[in-house]
Amino acid sequence: FSFFVTSLATMRLQSGSQDGFGGDLGGLAGADQICTTAATAVGFGHKTWRAFLSVYNNGTPLHAIDRIGTGPWYDANERLVAMDLAGLTSGDRPAGDAASVNDLPDENGVPGTTLGDTHDILTASNTMGRFDGSSAAASCQDWTDAGAGSPNTVRLGHSWPAQSGRNWIRAHQARGCSPGVNLVQNGPGTGTSVGAGGGWGGIYCFALEP
């Protein structure tokens, strides 16, 4: 077990809010801790977990793809997500078990579609897992901003393919950085929340150990 999407339950529990964190994850360190806490709850806190997020870092970007080790990665159901970095970025979906990569599961092994329209995942990254933007506005101020943010600036990936984009890292942009949950298919949604288009501001988590 070395990969998961943070569940709605853990984001609500850890944030102390039914709306989740929004774009303020406590920076990269806070996001890593979110991953670790979620993994600990299912018995895998002994591994080193990293959030798949990029940041602007004052003009010297830190790229998500450089944070997660070299693989292989498996979901909580012991299905292959990808063997290596090339497998993660070789197409719109990781080069792993189709049952996993076409509906990437949470830390409990539950696929996102079971809750409804849940595909939007925060990444701030392009299809190669590198920072996608020209300022910290493209990463909710390096994951410290839970305000309205800049509309249509922060890049999202799709945990499962949808009409608005198939790529798991880079599909479209979030409406903003504020907290919010939306599980109903209503296109881009309304308001400024990270979940407006379908989701809850979830993040991908990778363990450095297979």
Side-chain angles (χ1 to χ4, degrees):
F1 177 42
S2 43
F3 168 87
F4 62 92
V5 179
T6 53
S7 67
L8 175 57
T10 199
M11 296 303 265
R12 282 175 164 169
L13 178 66
Q14 293 192 52
S15 67
S17 168
Q18 287 296 103
D19 291 328
F21 286 96
D24 185 1
L25 305 173
L28 284 181
D32 291 345
Q33 186 57 53
I34 291 170
C35 291
T36 300
T37 299
T40 299
V42 294
F44 285 85
H46 60 282
K47 294 192 174 187
T48 305
W49 293 90
R50 294 287 181 265
F52 189 86
L53 295 169
S54 295
V55 294
Y56 180 64
N57 192 39
N58 295 316
T60 307
L62 300 176
H63 307 296
I65 200 71
D66 295 334
R67 310 189 70 243
I68 60 171
T70 58
W73 299 280
Y74 300 87
D75 68 19
N77 302 305
E78 300 183 357
R79 299 175 304 196
L80 179 69
V81 175
M83 283 299 298
D84 50 29
L85 294 171
L88 284 177
T89 57
S90 60
D92 280 340
R93 313 305 302 172
D97 187 321
S100 179
V101 303
N102 287 322
D103 199 352
L104 292 165
D106 64 22
E107 68 272 14
N108 299 297
V110 178
T113 54
T114 60
L115 291 181
D117 191 36
T118 61
H119 50 271
D120 285 352
I121 308 295
L122 298 169
T123 68
S125 304
N126 63 20
T127 58
M128 299 306 293
R130 301 176 68 81
F131 181 71
D132 190 1
S134 57
S135 73
S139 58
C140 294
Q141 301 301 319
D142 288 354
W143 311 114
T144 63
D145 178 18
S150 300
N152 302 316
T153 300
V154 180
R155 185 63 63 176
L156 301 165
H158 278 177
S159 62
W160 47 270
Q163 290 182 343
S164 55
R166 291 182 51 83
N167 194 275
W168 74 278
I169 306 175
R170 185 185 190 273
H172 59 83
Q173 286 109 338
R175 292 185 61 89
C177 292
S178 59
V181 176
N182 178 30
L183 306 179
V184 179
Q185 173 55 256
N186 59 347
T190 60
T192 62
S193 86
V194 292
W200 50 80
I203 58 178
Y204 297 123
C205 298
F206 287 79
L208 299 187
E209 305 88 357

